Every structure is written in structure tokens, then in C-alpha cells.
Amino acid sequence: MINYKKITEDTYWIGGSDRRLSRFENIFPIENGVSYNSYAIIDEKTAIFDTADISISDQYLENLKGVLGEKKPDYLVINHMEPDHCSQIATVVAMYPEITLVGNAKTFTFLSQFFPELNEQRKITVAEGDTLELGKHTLSFVMAPMVHWPEAMFTFDTATGALFSADAFGTFGAIDAGIFADEYDFEKKFLDDARRYYANIVGKYGMQVQAVLKKAAGLDIRMICPLHGPVWRENIAWFIDKYQKWSTYTPEDEDILVIYGSLYGHTESAAQKAAAMIREKSGKSVSVYDVSQTHVSVLTSEVWRCGKIVLFCPTYNNGIYTPMENFLSDCIALTVQNRTFALAQNGTWAPASGKLMTEKLQCLKNVKIVEPMLTIKSALHETDEQELEAFVNAVVEA
Ligand SMILES: Cc1cc2nc3c(=O)[nH]c(=O)nc-3n(C[C@H](O)[C@H](O)[C@H](O)COP(=O)(O)O)c2cc1C
Ligand SMILES: [Fe+2]
Ligand SMILES: [Fe+2]
């Protein structure tokens, strides 16, 4: 059934939500689903902004036809060529052969890789600052390379102040009845998913996000229309501030993170005890995770939130316990910065995971490693209380 929504003057959301997909990019669990947003401006000329993922193509095409009625769209603006947004381009062109595709030079390189059959389609190639008149609305193009692919760009509607921001300002999570962020308790419903989306999708590209935020600061933005998640029309500064923090690798709060790995429970028991002591001595909120149980995208998202991270890790065949190694590799891949780590290693004959974790963490920018490290020989006992206390004190004071 047609289900598009007017979001402002002549501007419509024509996307849809998928609650069946279990993993986004076949990696990230999305228990709350995900939305794929597309937009349309119906002016003297009609423009569509991106398409949608193939999983919601029926709903998307119904919404598109519904919003257009008898009209034929003039432009399809392609802000992002990733298949979760571009999958329906060939279908749209088949429905409306007169349509002109609008993108930058890279957009069209990628377009011909995904859809060589569209090589002869009418196109307008835009660059930074170019504009396109629709009538009352004038579109202006802002390049956003690597947020999240090299061809990504934003389109700004100078008439309404709507910024079509591609993957930026997006979040995991299906859209329920409301289309606007202010129709939800965003912090409760979306913030954790938004942070996890940021950390794992664009976390690596903090510098590029910073560059585009600087450009965006020069625009009179009254609405942000991302490709995933709700549209922002109120409290925009609050969400931009989150992006400022996330993209500069600045911890969001003072909470302390304890992540442990454990085969048989001994390292786990030590981590639990230490977490309780850290909580008591610091007065701060402490979150504890089992690295084998919690998806690594949740752990990296928590690293984005917290400034201080305590790792408890067994030695495993002379190496780092593999789930912990995987987590650390993800931290390196996502270029985690500006964090304090404290390390506890376990080993029954030759504990080595502490040194090996230190080597990995030294790949990260501006990371402090708390001294002393805690070494557990198989299990922690009451006789080790002094050593544990010294470790906890060092964590709290760091
Ligand atoms: C398959 C396997 C490999 C291990 N390899 C090492 C090792 O190379 N060096 C070492 O000192 N301990 C090694 N250990 C012992 C663990 O590091 C750890 O001391 C033990 O699993 C107790 O902690 P847990 O109950 O938290 O698993 C190994 C344990 C297992 C099960
Ligand atoms: Fe993307
Ligand atoms: Fe996307």
C-alpha cells in the first residue's frame, strides 16, 4: 500500500523499512531493522533522491508511483552508489526512460560498473558547489568523499534548508509510525543504534566526516534527510554535536568499559570482581561485556562511547584469545583514538596476551596504556588481593 509522507514544502519521504534482514552488510546484526530512505521534491521539475535496497523494492516503487501520480520525474539525484540505495536505479530508468541521472564523475564510474546498461542514459555531472534549478527549489551539491564511499555527496535544497545527507546522520533501526526524530524518544529508541551505525560504517573516516561537517556549518540547515533512520527537523544541533564527538574520537561520557574473554570462567570471575571494585572506587557507571557473546559491532560502539576500557584476556596458544584479537583488530581497522586502556592477562604456563595486546594497541593514535598490567596465573585468589587492588587503583586514577 502507498505509504509516503510529506516532510516539508513539496518534499516527500518515499522510503521503507526492512525488519527481516538479520545482518546489515551481512555483518552487523540489526534486531531493530533498518530503513532505506528515498525522497522526492515535486516542483516545476521533479527530483528523486536515491532509490532503495532491493529488499523493499515493492514498497519503494509503490511510494514512488504514488507520489508522482501522472507526473514524470525529471531528475534522479544519486547521492550514494552503494547497492542499499542504488539497487532500483535501472528499474526507475525503465519506468521513466526520459529521466536524467544527476551525480558526480565518480558516481557515474560506479554506475557503469553496477549498471553498464545505463551508459547511454541522460546524465548531468555535478561538482562541488554546482546548482540545479527545479523551480522554487534550487539544489546545491556538496561532495562528501568517504562518508561512506568515495562518490558520496550531499544535496542541499536552498529553498527549504533540507540537507539530503546520504549515509551521514543515519542510523540502524526501522522507522515506525513517525518519520521525524522528534516523534520518538530518540535517545531511548535510536541512540545506541545510531552510535553503532556511526562507529562501524563511517567510524574509520573521522577526518572526512570532520571535513564535511565544516562545509555543512556554512549552510542554513533546517532539516536533515539521511538515507537511514528518521528525518531531523528539531534538535539538529544536538545530533550534529554527537557527530562532532564521534568524528573527533572524543568519548561521549565517563563510563568505564570492561571487556573480558574467558574459556572456563576464571578470567571472567576476575573481571567481574575488578568491575565491581572499579565501580565502587570510581563512582562511575561500569559496563561489562563477554567478548565471545556480544557482537563486535556493539563492543566498538561502546568504545566510541566510553573513554576508559579495561580488557581481561587469556593467553591462547601463545597468542591473544581469538575473539579478543578480533575485537582489537576491529578497533585498529576503525582507527579508534584518544582512549585509555588497562590490561589484565591470564595464562597457565606462559602468560603473553598482555604484551601482545599492548603491541596491537600501540597501532592506535593517542592511546594510553595503564600501568601496572595485571597478570593472573590460571585464577585469581584472595592472596592476590593486593595486586588486584593496585590494578583497580591504577584504572580509577588513570
Ligand atoms: C586451548 C588453550 C590454549 C591455551 N594456551 C595457553 C598458552 O599458550 N599459554 C598460557 O599461559 N596459557 C594458555 N592457556 C590457559 C589460559 O590462558 C587460561 O589460563 C585458562 O584458560 C584459565 O582461564 P579461563 O578459565 O578464563 O579460561 C590455554 C588454554 C586453552 C584452553
Ligand atoms: Fe553506504
Ligand atoms: Fe546506506
Side-chain angles (χ1 to χ4, degrees):
M1 191 167 182
I2 294 170
N3 187 19
Y4 63 79
K5 291 191 180 87
K6 180 171 173 152
I7 54 171
T8 189
E9 216 181 302
D10 323 314
T11 309
Y12 301 84
W13 173 86
I14 57 171
S17 285
D18 181 0
R19 292 181 180 79
R20 292 187 177 197
L21 184 71
S22 58
R23 285 177 187 250
F24 187 78
E25 290 183 1
N26 220 356
I27 300 177
F28 309 108
I30 44 167
E31 285 169 9
N32 304 320
V34 64
S35 82
Y36 302 102
N37 301 337
S38 171
Y39 302 91
I41 295 179
I42 313 289
D43 198 348
E44 285 163 37
K45 301 271 188 185
T46 297
I48 304 163
F49 298 85
D50 296 289
T51 67
D53 189 76
I54 195 162
S55 63
I56 63 149
S57 58
D58 287 355
Q59 181 68 62
Y60 168 67
L61 295 171
E62 226 178 326
N63 287 350
L64 176 64
K65 281 185 267 182
V67 82
L68 290 174
E70 295 303 305
K71 284 199 179 66
K72 301 241 183 303
D74 297 282
Y75 303 112
L76 171 55
V77 177
I78 306 168
N79 284 318
H80 191 14
M81 263 309 293
E82 195 171 359
D84 58 333
H85 309 293
C86 81
S87 85
Q88 298 306 295
I89 294 179
T91 310
V92 170
V93 169
M95 285 162 59
Y96 305 106
E98 318 273 82
I99 200 165
T100 299
L101 305 179
V102 180
N104 57 60
K106 278 211 174 76
T107 314
F108 292 131
T109 303
F110 297 177
L111 183 83
S112 72
Q113 290 168 197
F114 283 110
F115 301 104
E117 69 272 30
L118 299 183
N119 282 350
E120 301 310 314
Q121 188 61 28
R122 227 180 278 174
K123 298 183 185 82
I124 296 178
T125 304
V126 297
E128 182 76 34
D130 285 356
T131 57
L132 182 66
E133 302 288 336
L134 301 180
K136 284 182 282 172
H137 300 256
T138 301
L139 305 180
S140 138
F141 302 97
V142 179
M143 299 302 121
M146 294 322 297
V147 183
H148 141 242
W149 275 19
E151 88 303 354
M153 64 178 194
F154 294 177
T155 304
F156 183 64
D157 176 1
T158 51
T160 59
L163 180 71
F164 299 92
S165 65
D167 273 343
F169 304 107
T171 178
F172 296 136
I175 290 177
D176 294 341
I179 181 65
F180 295 104
D182 56 83
E183 294 176 284
Y184 299 93
D185 181 340
F186 187 88
E187 282 199 64
K188 204 162 129 194
K189 185 175 167 65
F190 285 107
L191 183 58
D192 285 345
D193 264 343
R195 185 186 305 104
R196 188 162 65 93
Y197 171 91
Y198 178 87
N200 289 277
I201 306 295
V202 276
K204 184 183 180 72
Y205 305 112
M207 252 166 57
Q208 289 87 342
V209 173
Q210 276 290 300
V212 83
L213 283 176
K214 286 201 181 88
K215 288 197 241 174
L219 303 171
D220 178 23
I221 299 170
R222 276 165 277 157
M223 183 174 283
I224 296 180
C225 306
L227 287 176
H228 304 280
V231 170
W232 289 83
R233 64 179 172 186
E234 282 176 20
N235 244 343
I236 293 176
W238 177 84
F239 201 43
I240 290 181
D241 182 61
K242 289 287 177 203
Y243 260 66
Q244 281 291 356
K245 285 214 172 78
W246 293 339
S247 62
T248 51
Y249 307 88
T250 307
E252 233 171 305
D253 56 41
E254 301 212 312
D255 292 4
I256 299 169
L257 202 56
V258 175
I259 302 176
Y260 67 83
S262 185
L263 297 91
Y264 296 110
H266 301 88
T267 316
E268 176 179 32
S269 168
Q272 292 282 11
K273 176 73 180 178
M277 290 168 72
I278 293 167
R279 157 79 205 142
E280 198 155 309
K281 289 200 183 221
S282 68
K284 291 185 177 142
S285 171
V286 178
S287 303
V288 180
Y289 293 94
D290 180 336
V291 74
S292 302
Q293 295 300 324
T294 303
H295 193 268
V296 68
S297 66
V298 174
L299 302 177
T300 49
S301 175
E302 283 291 78
V303 168
W304 245 264
R305 185 174 66 84
C306 304
K308 205 181 272 184
I309 300 122
V310 187
L311 304 178
F312 277 74
C313 182
T315 304
Y316 192 69
N317 297 327
N318 293 322
I320 302 170
Y321 183 51
T322 46
M324 184 67 83
E325 185 161 37
N326 179 46
F327 160 70
L328 290 173
S329 296
D330 241 26
C331 288
I332 293 167
L334 297 174
T335 68
V336 165
Q337 300 175 23
N338 308 330
R339 294 296 186 275
T340 299
F341 284 87
L343 305 177
Q345 62 175 350
N346 193 354
T348 295
W349 56 95
S353 53
K355 178 170 169 277
L356 295 169
M357 288 195 291
T358 302
E359 283 167 15
K360 283 225 162 214
L361 290 169
Q362 280 164 348
C363 300
L364 301 176
K365 244 198 221 165
N366 199 14
V367 153
K368 192 179 157 211
I369 300 174
V370 174
E371 300 280 352
M373 175 165 71
L374 178 67
T375 295
I376 305 162
K377 284 299 220 35
S378 301
L380 211 57
H381 301 283
E382 273 58 44
T383 45
D384 303 314
E385 209 166 313
Q386 266 194 341
E387 223 192 317
L388 179 62
E389 185 117 15
F391 177 72
V392 165
N393 287 338
V395 170
V396 171
E397 282 156 22

